[in-house]
């Protein structure tokens, strides 16, 4: 046990975590690196160059005749996947804090660092990309010292691209990170920190053993669900799974026990023996709270059950996804899904399409609101169509977030304007070092859901970094904006928005839908309404055949007779015709500029 080291790599997005992980694997001869980012195995991760899943892998490292086992967990850097990071941190004793030498400390670096400090991890600061022409290692060192108060000699300099400094990182991991603490003779206690679905072998759970040991063929049970299984296969995670006969305290590995039902494996659960169970479950990590809710509906209503199965399998791999059934007049049966953010929502949609071949329509994303009625009762509403009648509502509260933005001082003006336009309030600003400023804002979550992050990046030319956590609920003047097509409300397009923005938002939506909905044989009226009051209208003109083409000359009444006949037909058609809203229209609402 004294020769085991469990550590993870935390950093802001694009600071080179996965590249450093590759170099460590290469240095310890774990695998031959054939292409970049060996641990990012999803096509989506390779295409976008981001890490979406945490990946665990075991390395063997020999030094001074001693053999060390290093368990590395590579984690995502994007703010939407911070839940993955919290789970990885729970399974480690130390962390490499990687900071880009060209960009310095950014918002996600700080929030992940605080998470690691809360879990009492040993932090090893590493400055990456020192081979870049724009690197400023000395300034970045000052920032790190200010941030965690370490000595200058504790900070390692490395380059993931050239492999410089990787040997020092390995030595620091062995010397500075403590070995796992635990009692090998105590009853088995293992924390599940991830799980994946394999269509041949069922559900595979990844765990870290805190106390005791597990042998192949043992009868085990999952503490919180109370289900019992046989440990058919246990082993460690290299690039593939390597079976073992016994795993002991401090090791990280996997268990296959033929579990078929997704609901039986909960991330954060404890594995123990049936005969000699432990007294209590391990304190897991906090329950994840979804921030953004959207309806996901199958394009073909017959696929409803397949969509449910796909979401359950996806949830195993991504425990931060939550969903519950709902129905819509316009779209039929589907699910209301909770995501951690817009990137998360986009990734889930893409994975449903690629991994499960599901065609889905996603409605406008929104956040959850607390609605108080006049009797003093309160209920949480995730969906605008779930709002009670306006006459019963006393007031509505919306969630506010505390946002941290770190930026170059040159961009303060435009960034402040962006946040104030989104109804934000400046809490404070402080200069971090040199030319960099840290801004703290309170902003309604509903305002940043749609396109805030993209705008922030384009205003600051990619410099500003952004991180947030939910702070509290506050009363707000909100109005429900309905979109009517020919007088029929389309519930999937209704949104809750601030009263002052409702009219302009409604007008822009009507204009956008006019471009996107194809013309029919009859006029289509697109209206935006707040309650019973219409605030905007656009009309899509009907496609008409020139019925008077055969009248050349003659009396005008002949023409009028033909036009009247056509008009009657159009009117009758309007009563029975229905308007198909294309998928593009649902997505267009997200892109309203």
């Amino acid at each position: 046990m004294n020769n085991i080291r469990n550590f993870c790599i935390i950093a802001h997005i694009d600071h080179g975590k996965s590249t450093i992980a590759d170099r460590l694997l290469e240095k310890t001869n774990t695998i031959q690196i054939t292409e970049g980012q060996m641990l990012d195995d999803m096509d989506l991760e390779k295409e976008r160059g981001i890490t979406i899943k945490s990946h665990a892998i075991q390395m063997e490292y020999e030094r001074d005749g001693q053999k060390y086992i290093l368990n590395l967990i590579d984690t995502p850097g994007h703010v939407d996947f911070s839940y993955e990071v919290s789970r990885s941190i729970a399974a480690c004793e130390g962390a490499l804090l990687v900071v880009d030498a060209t960009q310095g400390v950014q918002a996600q670096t700080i929030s992940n660092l605080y998470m690691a400090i809360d879990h009492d991890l040993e932090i090893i600061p590493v400055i990456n990309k020192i081979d870049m022409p724009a690197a400023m290692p000395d300034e970045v060192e000052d920032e790190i010292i200010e941030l965690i108060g370490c000595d200058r000699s504790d900070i390692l300099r490395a380059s993931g691209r050239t492999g410089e400094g990787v040997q020092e990182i390995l030595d620091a991991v062995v010397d500075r990170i403590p070995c796992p603490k635990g009692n090998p003779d105590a009853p088995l206690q293992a924390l599940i920190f991830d799980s994946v679905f394999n269509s041949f072998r069922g559900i595979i759970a990844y765990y870290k053993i805190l106390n005791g040991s597990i042998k192949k063929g043992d009868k085990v049970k999952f503490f919180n669900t109370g289900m019992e299984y046989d440990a058919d296969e246990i082993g460690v995670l290299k690039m593939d799974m390597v079976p073992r006969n016994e795993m002991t305290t401090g090791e990280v590995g996997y268990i296959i026990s033929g579990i078929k039902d997704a609901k039986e494996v909960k991330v954060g659960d404890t594995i123990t023996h049936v005969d000699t169970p432990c007294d209590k479950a391990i304190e897991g990590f906090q329950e994840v709270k979804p921030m953004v809710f959207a309806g996901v509906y199958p394009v073909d209503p017959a696929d409803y059950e397949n969509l449910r199965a796909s979401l359950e399998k996806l949830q195993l791999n991504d425990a931060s996804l939550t969903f519950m059934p709902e129905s819509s007049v316009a779209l039929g049966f589907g699910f209301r899904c909770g995501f951690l953010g817009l990137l998360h929502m986009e990734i889930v949609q893409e994975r449903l399409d690629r991994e499960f071949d599901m065609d889905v329509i996603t409605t406008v994303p929104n956040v959850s609101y607390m609605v108080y009625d006049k009797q003093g009762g309160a209920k949480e509403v995730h969906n605008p169509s779930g709002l009670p009648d306006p006459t019963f509502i006393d007031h509505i509260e919306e969630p506010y977030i505390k946002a941290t933005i770190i930026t170059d001082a040159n961009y303060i003006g435009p960034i402040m304007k962006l946040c104030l336009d989104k109804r934000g309030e400046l809490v404070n600003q402080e200069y971090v070092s040199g030319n960099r400023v840290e801004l703290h804002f309170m902003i309604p979550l509903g305002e940043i859901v749609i396109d805030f992050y993209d705008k922030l990046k384009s205003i600051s030319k990619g410099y500003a970094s952004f991180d947030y956590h939910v702070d509290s609920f506050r009363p707000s003047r909100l109005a429900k904006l309905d979109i009517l097509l020919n007088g029929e409300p389309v519930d999937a397009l209704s949104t809750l928005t601030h009263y002052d923005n409702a009219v302009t938002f409604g007008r822009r939506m009507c204009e956008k839908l006019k471009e996107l909905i194809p013309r029919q044989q009859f006029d289509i009226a697109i209206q935006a309404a707040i309650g019973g009051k219409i605030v905007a209208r656009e009309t899509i003109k009907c496609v008409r055949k020139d019925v008077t083409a055969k009248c050349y000359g003659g009396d005008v009444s002949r023409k009028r007779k033909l036009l009247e006949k056509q008009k009657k037909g159009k009117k009758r058609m309007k009563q029975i015709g229905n308007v198909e809203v294309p998928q593009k229209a649902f997505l267009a609402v997200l892109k309203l500029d």
Side-chain angles (χ1 to χ4, degrees), residues 346-456:
E346 210 177 303
I347 297 290
V348 166
Q349 217 175 324
E350 192 95 344
R351 285 181 71 183
L352 281 172
D353 181 32
R354 293 186 184 201
E355 294 171 30
F356 304 101
D357 209 17
M358 291 297 312
D359 267 344
V360 294
I361 292 177
T362 314
T363 64
V364 184
N366 57 325
V367 299
S368 58
Y369 297 93
M370 292 301 288
V371 179
Y372 292 86
D373 57 28
K374 293 189 172 157
Q375 281 75 42
K379 78 170 196 173
E380 197 170 343
V381 175
H382 298 311
N383 188 350
S385 58
L387 271 185
D389 190 276
T391 50
F392 297 127
I393 297 176
D394 182 52
H395 67 278
I396 302 178
E397 292 190 350
E398 62 176 338
Y400 268 69
I401 57 159
K402 190 162 190 181
T404 307
I405 298 171
I406 297 183
T407 174
D408 209 66
N410 307 334
Y411 305 114
I412 289 184
I415 286 176
M416 281 207 178
K417 183 178 183 309
L418 172 71
C419 294
L420 297 173
D421 287 350
K422 297 280 187 190
R423 300 191 284 131
E425 301 162 16
L426 179 65
V427 180
N428 67 347
Q429 70 177 65
E430 49 196 74
Y431 281 81
V432 186
S433 65
N435 200 21
R436 294 159 60 94
V437 184
E438 189 175 328
L439 302 168
H440 294 275
F441 278 95
M442 295 294 285
I443 307 179
L445 180 60
E447 293 282 343
I448 68 154
V449 158
I450 293 184
D451 54 0
F452 179 80
Y453 194 63
D454 302 345
K455 281 187 176 166
L456 180 71

Side-chain angles (χ1 to χ4, degrees), residues 289-294 296 320-322 337-341 344-345 348:
K289 275 194 75 83
M291 300 292 164
V292 175
F293 295 87
V296 174
S320 49
L321 172 68
T322 59
C337 298
F339 307 98
L340 296 181
H344 187 212
M345 174 173 136
V348 166

Side-chain angles (χ1 to χ4, degrees), residues 168-369:
E168 287 76 21
I169 295 178
L170 279 171
D171 290 337
V173 166
V174 170
D175 295 336
R176 293 199 219 164
I177 292 178
C179 60
K181 311 252 186 305
N183 180 357
D185 305 322
L188 171 68
Q189 260 188 328
L191 174 73
I192 301 178
F193 65 88
D194 204 356
S195 56
V196 291
F197 179 80
N198 181 313
S199 42
F200 302 107
R201 317 211 49 185
I203 290 159
I204 305 169
Y206 297 162
Y207 57 83
K208 175 198 176 188
I209 302 179
L210 295 193
N211 288 309
S213 61
I214 181 171
K215 293 188 176 68
K216 186 179 171 179
D218 279 355
K219 289 274 289 177
V220 295
K221 77 167 183 182
F222 289 6
F223 206 90
N224 291 342
T225 55
M227 307 294 274
E228 301 185 359
Y229 308 100
D230 289 325
D232 298 335
E233 184 183 307
I234 56 169
V236 295
L237 298 155
K238 298 256 173 124
M239 209 56 205
D240 298 311
M241 294 184 278
V242 183
R244 290 273 174 87
N245 287 327
E246 185 177 11
M247 305 268 296
T248 60
T249 307
E251 292 197 283
V252 174
Y254 69 92
I255 178 169
I256 300 176
S257 43
I259 308 170
K260 291 285 180 283
D261 188 0
K263 294 190 187 68
E264 293 177 24
V265 179
K266 290 245 187 308
V267 168
D269 203 348
T270 304
I271 305 177
T272 185
H273 281 126
V274 174
D275 311 332
T276 53
C278 54
D279 322 330
K280 60 179 198 316
I282 303 165
E283 288 294 311
F285 12 82
Q286 74 278 14
E287 270 295 298
V288 59
K289 275 194 75 83
M291 300 292 164
V292 175
F293 295 87
V296 174
Y297 294 85
V299 172
D300 176 5
D303 283 341
Y304 177 71
E305 280 306 322
N306 296 350
L307 179 60
R308 180 197 292 273
S310 307
L311 282 170
E312 280 180 356
K313 287 172 188 168
L314 197 56
Q315 195 177 30
L316 277 175
N317 200 300
D318 178 357
S320 49
L321 172 68
T322 59
F323 62 92
M324 57 194 181
E326 76 162 2
S327 64
S328 144
V329 184
L331 300 170
F333 289 100
F335 296 93
R336 172 109 324 222
C337 298
F339 307 98
L340 296 181
L342 271 197
L343 177 72
H344 187 212
M345 174 173 136
E346 210 177 303
I347 297 290
V348 166
Q349 217 175 324
E350 192 95 344
R351 285 181 71 183
L352 281 172
D353 181 32
R354 293 186 184 201
E355 294 171 30
F356 304 101
D357 209 17
M358 291 297 312
D359 267 344
V360 294
I361 292 177
T362 314
T363 64
V364 184
N366 57 325
V367 299
S368 58
Y369 297 93

Side-chain angles (χ1 to χ4, degrees), residues 503-514:
V503 177
T504 47
F505 187 65
R507 197 169 295 143
R508 279 168 30 213
M509 259 172 86
C510 291
E511 285 163 8
K512 195 80 178 170
L513 289 172
K514 184 180 178 181

